[in-house]
Amino acid sequence: MKYEAIVIGVSSGGLNAMKTILPQLPADYGLPIIIVQHLRAESNGMWINALDKICGLNIREADEKEHIKNGNVYIAPPNYHLLIEPDRSFSLSTDKPVNFARPSIDVLFESAAHVFADKLIGIILTGSNSDGAKGLAKIKKAGGLALVEDPLSAETPFMPLAAIKATEVDQILKLEHIADKLKTIYRS
Amino acid sequence: MIKTTPEIEISLLLEALFQKYGYDFRQYSRAHIARRISNRMILSNIKTITEIQEKILHDNSFASQLLQDLSITVTEMFRDPSFYLMVREKVIPILKTYSFIKIWHAGCSTGEEAYSMAILLKEEGLYDRATIYATDFNQAALHQAKEGIFAAQDMKEYTSNYQKGGGKESLSEYYTSQYNRVIMDTSLKKNIVWANHNLVTDSVFAEVHLILCRNVLIYFNKDLQNRVQKLFFESLINGGILCLGSKESLRFSDFATSYHELDKKQRIFKKKYNGLS
C-alpha cells in the first residue's frame, strides 16, 4: 500500500457521517485519519468521547506539536486551524477563518498535501459550503487520491458538489461504502 | 535527508530575511510560514519562493510587506470568555495581595487583549496599582495598539465575549464610537506601556507578577517554545502566574514541573518557589 495518511473534511451532517464510517474500521487500521469537522467555537468535544466509545480506533482531539501515529483518528479542535508540519506533527493556528470556517478543511488539506504528496487520501463528505474543494484539488495535483461522498446520498450535497467541480476526483462513493473502500486500500 | 524544493526554498528565504533584516522566523512552525508565503505568492502573482527571496533582498518595501504577512496574528477582545471568567475567579484574588502589580502581555499584536485586561483590572479595582507591559516585535501592530482604534463592526462580538467573560458594565462604557470605528478610553491606556520586544531574540526585561501569552507559542517550534518558556520563567516572581492559550501547554518545555496548575482547562499556571516542588 502506498498511502500514509487520510484527511477528511466534513461539515453539516458530519456527526452522522462519521458514526457511519469510523466504527467500521478495525482498531489495527494502519493509516492515521485526520478530520476537520466544522463546529461552533464553543463546542466542548463531548461528541468526540461519544464517538470514541463506539469505535475500535482511538478518536481524539489533535494536540499542538503531537506526532501523527497510526491507529489514531485526530479531530481538529474548535476555533483553531489544524496544519501538518514537515516532521508530521500538528500545528494549530488562530489565523482568520478561511471560507468562513475555523478550522478550515482547505487549510488542513493544503498543508497535508505539502507533507504527504502522493501518499495522501483526501475525502470530502456532507456539508453546506465549499470549504475543502481547493484543498482536495491540491491533494489530487500532488498525486494523492481524491474521494468524495455521493452528493445524492449526502445529508447536505453542496460540499461534495463543490469538490467534484473543483477537481477530477478519483471516486464518488455512497456514505456506507466509504469504510469498505478504505479497508480495501489498506489491504492492497 | 533529502528535502523537497519548497522546504529548501523556505529555509533559504528565512535565512535571507534574518541575515538582511534581523527578523528571525527560522524556528517558526513551517506549516504556517508555508501557508502565509503561498498566500503572498497568489496576491503578488509570484511563481516560486526563490523569486520571493530575490525580491526581499533587493526591494525593502516588499520585504516589509512580507514581514507583515509572516507576523500578523488575529486577535480579539475577551477571546475565550471562559478564560476571563477564570482570571476573575482565580487570578485576581492572588493579584489583590500585592501592593503593585506588573503584568507582561507578550505578543500583544494590535492590543485587543491588553485592553481587555485593562478593563478587567478596572472592574476588579486593581487598575491603579497595575502596569501592563504590552509587547510585540511588529512595530506596525504596536502602533495600532497604542492608538486603540478598532473596527465598530467587531464590537458586537466583543460585547458578547465581554459579557460571557464576567463583564460588570456595558463594554460601550470603555470606548467612543466615531463612524465605523471605536476609540478606546484614554483612562485604559494610562497604565499600559507599549514596547517593542521580540520573544525570539530579546531577553528578560522586567520582573513581573503575571504573564499573558496566548496563542503565540503555537506558531513556534519546540525549541523556540522552550526558549520563550525560559524567558517567562525567569521573568516571573515566585508565585507569579502564567496564562497560555487554551491549546498551549508546558508539556514540551523544561518547565513542565516548575509550575502548579491553577486552572487546567484555561491553562493558567502558578510558578513554584524557585521552580522547585
Side-chain angles (χ1 to χ4, degrees):
Chain A
M1 183 200 47
K2 73 172 224 181
Y3 296 105
E4 292 176 359
I6 299 170
V7 288
I8 299 179
V10 58
S11 187
S12 45
L15 194 52
N16 249 340
M18 284 191 281
K19 273 186 185 160
T20 307
I21 298 171
L22 298 176
Q24 292 188 56
L25 298 173
D28 60 352
Y29 189 71
L31 294 175
I33 301 174
I34 305 143
I35 300 176
V36 163
Q37 150 94 72
H38 293 157
L39 290 165
R40 286 181 306 131
E42 57 271 26
S43 164
N44 64 10
M46 288 296 281
W47 63 277
I48 294 182
N49 296 336
L51 200 58
D52 189 46
K53 283 200 179 102
I54 58 167
C55 293
L57 293 162
N58 294 315
I59 321 278
R60 46 183 299 176
E61 202 174 85
D63 221 339
E64 204 248 333
K65 301 283 177 283
E66 179 179 15
H67 279 273
I68 298 169
K69 290 200 181 83
N70 292 347
N72 283 335
V73 177
Y74 301 95
I75 316 259
N79 214 13
Y80 286 84
H81 291 302
L82 178 67
L83 300 94
I84 298 173
E85 294 290 328
D87 70 356
R88 303 192 174 187
S89 64
F90 290 117
S91 270
L92 299 175
S93 113
T94 55
D95 285 8
K96 272 185 277 187
V98 174
N99 309 314
F100 309 101
R102 188 171 61 201
S104 146
I105 301 165
D106 277 343
V107 171
L108 170 68
F109 279 23
E110 286 171 17
S111 74
H114 279 307
V115 174
F116 291 102
D118 61 347
K119 299 180 174 62
L120 183 66
I121 302 169
I123 309 175
I124 293 290
L125 302 174
T126 169
S128 55
N129 66 11
S130 64
D131 192 21
K134 272 192 203 153
L136 194 70
K138 284 262 169 71
I139 291 174
K140 182 73 190 165
K141 202 177 156 200
L145 187 73
L147 305 177
V148 174
E149 180 181 358
D150 186 345
L152 294 173
S153 75
E155 220 170 294
T156 315
F158 197 76
M159 215 159 78
L161 283 173
I164 291 165
K165 205 176 154 193
T167 188
E168 201 176 307
V169 304
D170 292 286
Q171 207 171 344
I172 296 168
L173 292 155
K174 284 200 165 58
L175 178 62
E176 54 270 30
H177 297 153
I178 290 175
D180 281 336
K181 173 77 184 173
L182 297 181
K183 284 190 269 188
T184 311
I185 288 171
Y186 180 51
R187 281 194 301 261
S188 67
Chain B
M1 192 188 128
I2 299 288
K3 293 190 169 178
T4 65
T5 307
E7 275 172 44
I8 298 165
E9 287 179 295
I10 288 176
S11 294
L12 296 174
L13 172 63
L14 298 183
E15 193 59 41
L17 208 54
F18 177 60
Q19 288 190 20
K20 173 118 189 188
Y21 301 98
Y23 288 99
D24 192 353
F25 292 94
R26 293 173 301 174
Q27 290 181 290
Y28 273 52
S29 132
R30 282 300 157 96
H32 297 296
I33 296 282
R35 179 154 190 91
R36 287 173 185 185
I37 288 174
S38 102
N39 285 343
R40 173 49 51 198
M41 287 165 72
I42 293 165
L43 286 172
S44 298
N45 193 23
I46 293 170
K47 296 283 176 291
T48 68
I49 301 170
T50 304
E51 200 181 316
I52 294 194
Q53 185 185 324
E54 201 268 329
K55 276 178 96 90
I56 64 124
L57 287 174
H58 300 286
D59 177 350
N60 285 350
S61 68
F62 184 86
S64 47
Q65 175 64 64
L66 189 73
L67 279 176
Q68 292 305 318
D69 292 340
L70 295 181
S71 66
I72 280 181
T73 49
V74 179
T75 173
E76 58 189 73
M77 281 191 202
F78 296 97
R79 184 188 154 93
D80 305 325
S82 42
F83 165 73
Y84 286 91
L85 268 182
M86 217 33 80
V87 169
R88 285 184 197 262
E89 191 183 306
K90 292 188 176 168
V91 178
I92 292 296
I94 297 172
L95 296 183
K96 280 190 173 160
T97 64
Y98 300 116
S99 53
F100 64 92
I101 306 156
K102 286 186 188 171
I103 298 170
W104 180 15
H105 191 118
C108 68
S109 185
T110 42
E112 284 84 339
E113 289 179 85
Y115 285 108
S116 306
M117 187 49 67
I119 289 168
L120 193 153
L121 290 170
K122 265 202 157 182
E123 294 184 353
E124 299 294 337
L126 290 177
Y127 186 80
D128 288 331
R129 48 175 142 141
T131 305
I132 302 175
Y133 300 97
T135 67
D136 206 278
F137 78 92
N138 182 337
Q139 201 58 42
L142 266 184
H143 182 73
Q144 212 181 319
K146 204 171 180 176
E147 300 239 290
I149 298 174
F150 301 110
Q153 62 183 30
D154 294 331
M155 289 327 244
K156 198 175 154 199
E157 190 193 353
Y158 295 171
T159 299
S160 155
N161 284 353
Y162 165 76
Q163 283 160 351
K164 286 184 209 155
K168 292 181 176 170
E169 307 287 332
S170 159
L171 186 58
S172 58
E173 296 284 315
Y174 301 104
Y175 62 81
T176 335
S177 299
Q178 275 186 357
Y179 306 104
N180 52 358
R181 304 184 306 174
V182 307
I183 301 173
M184 301 312 289
D185 200 88
T186 39
S187 71
L188 293 172
K189 299 179 183 174
K190 196 179 58 162
N191 292 356
I192 305 180
V193 179
W194 306 99
N196 195 304
H197 181 275
N198 192 330
L199 289 170
V200 185
T201 43
D202 293 340
S203 52
V204 173
F205 71 96
E207 190 171 60
V208 299
H209 302 81
L210 168 66
I211 293 175
L212 298 137
C213 184
R214 307 185 64 234
N215 299 312
V216 175
L217 297 177
I218 47 175
Y219 294 96
F220 297 169
N221 73 13
K222 279 185 199 169
D223 290 342
L224 184 52
Q225 285 190 355
N226 199 43
R227 177 197 196 273
V228 176
Q229 289 296 359
K230 183 164 184 278
L231 208 58
F232 290 165
F233 182 79
E234 288 170 355
S235 301
L236 280 172
I237 61 159
N238 284 317
I241 291 161
L242 173 65
C243 299
L244 302 176
S246 60
K247 300 295 171 194
E248 292 168 330
S249 71
L250 294 160
R251 216 168 22 141
F252 301 116
S253 76
D254 298 339
F255 302 92
T257 59
S258 308
Y259 294 84
H260 299 289
E261 263 176 0
L262 208 53
D263 189 87
K264 191 174 179 183
K265 187 155 189 291
Q266 298 306 330
R267 313 289 165 114
I268 302 174
F269 304 90
K270 187 166 185 249
K271 182 178 161 179
K272 294 176 183 174
Y273 187 79
N274 289 340
L276 307 168
S277 37

